Amino acid sequence: MMLSKEKLSSRGRGKRALAYILLIAVCVIIIYPLLWTIGASFNPGNSLVSTSIIPKNPTNEHYVKLFAGEGNLFYKQWYLNSLKISVFTMLLSLISVSFTAYAFSRFRFKGRKNGLTLFMLLQMIPQFSALTAIFVLGQMLGLINSHWLLILIYVGGQIPMNSYLLKGYMDTIPIDLDESARIDGASRTRIFWQIIIPLSRPMLAVVAMNGFTGPLGDFALSSVILRNPESYTLPIGLYKLVSDKMGASYTTFAAGAILISIPIVIIFLSLQKHFVSSLTAGGTKG
């Protein structure tokens, strides 16, 4: 018996050690490129050849250059454009996804199952597969260089996946709460706003995070719609910094990339307390 217990304890220690090794490896994989980017943003010059994680002669000239507005470098405007698009995409996604998910969760109507199946299929189709159609639509509507067209496209792309996730979370909320409220005279609208939405706050935090971070990392769609340098978002503007073979500035690009993460970190820390419960309780039902 003692030998068997020793074997079990040794197996447990081995599994624990393996788990720690994997965690450390994942942390290194994530943190190492981030440290290189931070180091490159403080290295003098424009090339990455002579950069290091710890700069020998650190400088903040690249951050100053970003906001100086030299030539076609409208970094401050690009930053504001990206924040505008991300915030409106987040808000409109929350509204549209909440209504859609509530309808699929609490109502039984013709085509409901087919609609859910369609949502699953739409998740498998990348948005950039419709780039040509989006560009033609933008030209027909006269909305090339329009941020609002881009926002509507982002919101439409957020609806299928997030509605399916939020619907699954709403299914876990007991229907008895709705019935009790109906007996007390509450309308569907009041039940939605005062019962379902507050209880769905954890998954709504995930929807908000997806809606905010999606536009900040998109290049394909925004590069099709936005052609004027002053209308660029951060991904397009930063790409222009390294696409010019003669004037590429990788260190300035690194500085700009670091600054992109600031609003994402703020949103993540603001919503962090909701994420764990939403991801564990977001399983879908039939």
Side-chain angles (χ1 to χ4, degrees):
M1 293 292 293
M2 292 295 294
L3 290 174
S4 61
K5 289 182 179 180
E6 289 178 359
K7 288 182 178 179
L8 290 175
S9 61
S10 62
R11 287 181 180 176
R13 287 194 295 268
K15 291 181 179 178
R16 191 177 304 165
L18 180 60
Y20 281 122
I21 292 172
L22 290 175
L23 287 174
I24 293 172
V26 171
C27 289
V28 170
I29 292 173
I30 294 174
I31 295 175
Y32 185 72
L34 179 61
L35 293 177
W36 261 107
T37 305
I38 296 174
S41 68
F42 288 101
N43 272 273
N46 295 325
S47 176
L48 293 178
V49 177
S50 59
T51 58
S52 59
I53 293 182
I54 303 176
K56 295 180 180 179
N57 300 305
T59 177
N60 65 346
E61 63 176 341
H62 305 302
Y63 291 94
V64 174
K65 180 180 177 181
L66 287 174
F67 293 97
E70 299 176 359
N72 288 327
L73 184 57
F74 303 102
Y75 186 81
K76 188 188 300 184
Q77 186 63 45
W78 300 340
Y79 209 100
L80 293 176
N81 292 342
S82 292
L83 287 180
K84 167 190 170 183
I85 293 172
S86 293
V87 169
F88 278 104
T89 299
M90 178 181 68
L91 295 177
L92 293 177
S93 295
L94 282 171
I95 295 172
S96 57
V97 168
S98 298
F99 288 145
T100 306
Y102 178 69
F104 277 106
S105 176
R106 288 301 193 258
F107 295 94
R108 298 297 180 266
F109 51 88
K110 187 176 181 180
R112 175 177 173 272
K113 290 186 176 180
N114 292 334
L116 291 173
T117 303
L118 179 62
F119 277 0
M120 291 185 65
L121 293 175
L122 289 175
Q123 295 178 42
M124 304 176 187
I125 303 174
Q127 286 185 329
F128 64 80
S129 61
L131 288 181
T132 304
I134 291 173
F135 178 74
V136 172
L137 178 64
Q139 281 194 321
M140 291 175 60
L141 297 176
L143 293 177
I144 296 296
N145 288 318
S146 171
H147 292 158
W148 290 107
L149 175 60
L150 201 57
I151 290 170
L152 293 176
I153 293 172
Y154 286 142
V155 172
Q158 294 277 334
I159 290 176
M161 180 185 70
N162 288 322
S163 294
Y164 200 85
L165 290 175
L166 185 57
K167 180 263 179 191
Y169 191 90
M170 287 181 175
D171 286 346
T172 65
I173 300 174
I175 194 70
D176 297 341
L177 296 176
D178 299 48
E179 294 175 351
S180 298
R182 292 292 298 275
I183 293 173
D184 292 337
S187 63
R188 292 279 190 183
T189 303
R190 188 173 181 181
I191 292 172
F192 174 74
W193 288 113
Q194 297 187 1
I195 297 178
I196 302 300
I197 290 299
L199 293 176
S200 301
R201 194 178 302 165
M203 185 56 74
L204 289 173
V206 176
V207 174
M209 191 68 185
N210 291 338
F212 187 83
T213 58
L216 284 177
D218 175 68
F219 174 80
L221 287 175
S222 56
S223 62
V224 170
I225 301 299
L226 307 178
R227 300 304 181 90
N228 187 348
E230 294 185 5
S231 302
Y232 286 169
T233 56
L234 282 173
I236 308 175
L238 291 178
Y239 171 75
K240 299 298 181 181
L241 293 179
V242 295
S243 61
D244 187 358
K245 295 181 179 180
M246 300 300 295
S249 180
Y250 293 95
T251 47
T252 306
F253 174 90
I258 293 297
L259 293 177
I260 292 179
S261 63
I262 293 177
I264 298 176
V265 170
I266 293 174
I267 291 294
F268 180 82
L269 293 177
S270 302
L271 303 175
Q272 183 183 17
K273 61 182 180 180
H274 301 296
F275 288 154
V276 175
S277 58
S278 64
L279 292 176
T280 54
T284 57
K285 294 183 180 181

